[in-house]
Amino acid sequence: MLQRIVKPLAIAVLLLLSQLTYATEGMWLPQLLSGLNEKEMKGMGMKINASDIYNINKGSLKDAIVSFGGFCTAEVISSQGLILTNHHCGYESIQKHSSLQNNFLQNGFWAKTASEELSNPGLFVTFIVRIDDVTKAALQDVKPGMSERDRQSAIDKRLNEIRQNARKESWQETMVKPFYEGNQYFLFVTETFNDVRLVGTPPSSIGKFGSDTDNWVWPRHTGDFSMFRIYAGKDGRPAPYSQDNVPLSPKYFLPISLKGVKQNDFTMVLGFPGRTNEYLPSEAVKLTVEALDPAKVGMRDAALEVIDGYMRKDEQIKIQYAAKYASTANAWKKWKGEMLGVKQTRGIEKRERYEATYRELLDANAEQKVKYSGVLDSLNEMYRRIRPYAQTRDYYSELVKNVELFTAGDRLISFLGEVRDKGEGQYEALRQQFLESMQSFYKNYNAQVDHDVAVKLLDIYAKGVPKQYAGTEYAQICGESNNDSRALADKIYNGSGLTSLEKLKAFVQQPYNAVVAQMWKDPGTRLIMAMRKGFVDNVSKPVSDLQNSINNLQRTYMQAQMDVMATKKRFYPDANSTLRVTYGKADGYSPRDAIHYDFYTYLDGVMEKYIPGDYEFDVPAKLIELHKNKDYGRYGVNGRMPVCFIASNHTTGGNSGSPALDAYGHLIGLNFDRTWEGTMSDINYDPSICRNIMVDIRYVLFIVDKYAGCTRLIDEMKLVK
Ligand code: ARG
Ligand code: ASP
């Protein structure tokens, strides 16, 4: 009897639960939360109001979040402008301050006093003051049937006006960005600070622990954080770097909680996600995981294998190639995870089912049918058509990126083009500039490594790119070497003027016209010119025409989805490097049969991975000591030191350094990555396996306090118990 009642009840509860966990997709606009999300967020456990997150009348959470250099996120964590971001976001700044004597990457760095904090020319942080919907004004001149180009220029004219007329203070800036594929426009009033100083960073053996092997992977044990400070003029406003500048007194800063999270606790991430494509039709998802990802991954598989082989044998090459290797490997690994994730969750079938529902609903609505009929089919058709061109484009750009001699050649071509455009009178000055910019390139260049990469990649390119797209000049050159990539590479690396800075200098020492003529004679630049010509003649034009149609259709399809599927789905705009809020729950996941991942890692796990002397898994002596003595201070929990945790917040590149907040809006962690099976979330978010990875704030504080002894920083923070 009881059983019969319990069962339906249990099913209802399960259904409810699954609905709750299903709501974690989305990167929401902070100013629209009260209408769209607040209720759900509270249902999931949030204890604050939407108006505590975004408020233009008083300090709110959004006033503690900055775009860090335009590529990452950071958050203010003290009344004196102290900000927290990832180690990998601060990496370049840390590297620039490092030398063999003072190697901050290797040893870490902690400013003992404010006067030791280090300035970083070029680095900036941007606050969001206000966000306004300006769609109506932006689109007022748009007429049906306009060409993409006319449409864009009609909009651009209005955007200029909107920006100029925007209410703002003299030191503030404005920008307008398209949302929902250009169906809506929002104005941002911003405040940018250019005096941002390095305050502290752990050594790479903590901040980058696990390096490329652990990148995109859970379980993770990385203390991926660094600290900076924002300085302002004496009036508190943005000012260029000056010794007289003072720490910023922010409108709001994040209180820090030492409580951590329990399973299923509400979590929220605020930040600046870069780019997602969540509303593609099925053909575009297929294009990505069947054609583009494999082409790019194949190229990088080969390049990385060659470079890794040399790096393991040769210390000098390791230093020269470490940063390049890491950046090449980062995207490579992400694409591999993306292909796997889409396959495992049957992402394409899921998208096709979604389209079937869309078609059914569209068919049932006479008015919408008139408006949107055929849009989805045309869009899918366009993606089928663009496939071989788009794949060629990716082969080509991967070749130019990964064969450094081609990168150099490309830069040489750009320099000559600039001379052509600006006049030969500028030749001398531009040549100086060009050669200077190439100095750092050759500092980290090894022609032998590059030759071996070229052998492999030229081969893949020859096999992957259809003849009619590669062009006749390219075919001619390959023919001269019997279509043998090794022979071709030998010829190039023996004869080209691009293999060293000295040779390049000699190459461009001649008068402008002679250099131009030489471009078709030097075996290196000749091949680049030929491939480039093939690309421009046979690929660029069709790609850009098709892309124009796609943009147009994609915009219409976006609006169509929002109208037709309104009762089935809530729509958030794709990421576009603007401030967003995403929320979810602390939770593990099960990527495969019989495999389940917990959602927390501990310092014990660091010690499990420890490989003495290894460049990825070494552990500093002091940390080993602290672990041995369980000397965790107030940051440990039951004799253990939490390190990282995961949750179902929907994040992407650019969200690195974003704060993870608890139900009260208190800082509990720092976002820095996603799990391997979930990197597909950029095109196919799936709540069952997509997780973001955060370093626990207690680990951050433990490192600052117990490991580095930099208590002055802890003292300026607001810790809540
Ligand atoms: N995968 C993360 C992101 O996309 C972290 C990258 C930095 N870490 C590394 N080992 N390369 O940015
Ligand atoms: N690691 C990424 C970043 O640097 C975050 C991600 O892709 O999840 O922004």
Side-chain angles (χ1 to χ4, degrees), residues 139-152:
L139 297 181
Q140 63 180 309
D141 300 330
V142 170
K143 309 253 157 21
M146 266 181 157
S147 75
E148 274 305 279
R149 235 173 112 191
D150 293 347
R151 182 181 190 276
Q152 200 50 53

Side-chain angles (χ1 to χ4, degrees), residues 70 185 202 212 218 227 278 339 342 440 482 488 527 536 577 597 626 660 663 673:
Y185 282 80
D212 297 312
W218 181 255
M227 288 182 184
E278 309 286 0
M339 293 190 284
V342 170
S440 55
N482 295 323
L488 177 57
L527 179 61
V536 170
S577 298
Y597 287 116
L626 288 166
D673 209 0

Side-chain angles (χ1 to χ4, degrees), residues 389 392 396 461 465-475 520 526-542:
Y389 297 108
T392 299
Y396 177 74
Y461 186 83
V465 174
K467 295 247 169 343
Q468 70 272 28
Y469 299 147
T472 48
E473 287 84 357
Y474 164 82
W520 281 102
R526 180 175 171 231
L527 179 61
I528 302 163
M529 300 280 281
M531 287 189 307
R532 204 175 153 110
K533 183 164 185 307
F535 184 75
V536 170
D537 289 353
N538 310 314
V539 182
S540 307
K541 173 92 171 72

Side-chain angles (χ1 to χ4, degrees), residues 456-469:
K456 294 267 163 65
L457 266 51
L458 282 170
D459 207 44
I460 299 176
Y461 186 83
K463 290 188 179 121
V465 174
K467 295 247 169 343
Q468 70 272 28
Y469 299 147

Side-chain angles (χ1 to χ4, degrees), residues 77-79 82 227 253-254 256 700-701 704 712-719:
I77 54 169
S78 88
S79 60
L82 185 66
M227 288 182 184
F253 66 92
L254 300 176
I256 299 173
V700 171
L701 299 185
V704 173
R712 74 171 184 111
L713 298 178
I714 306 285
D715 292 342
E716 62 175 287
M717 299 172 194
K718 182 170 154 192
L719 306 189

Side-chain angles (χ1 to χ4, degrees), residues 88 208 211-212 215-216 326 330 656 672-673:
H88 80 262
K208 209 186 166 182
S211 194
D212 297 312
N215 192 21
W216 299 114
N330 191 41
S656 275
F672 70 98
D673 209 0

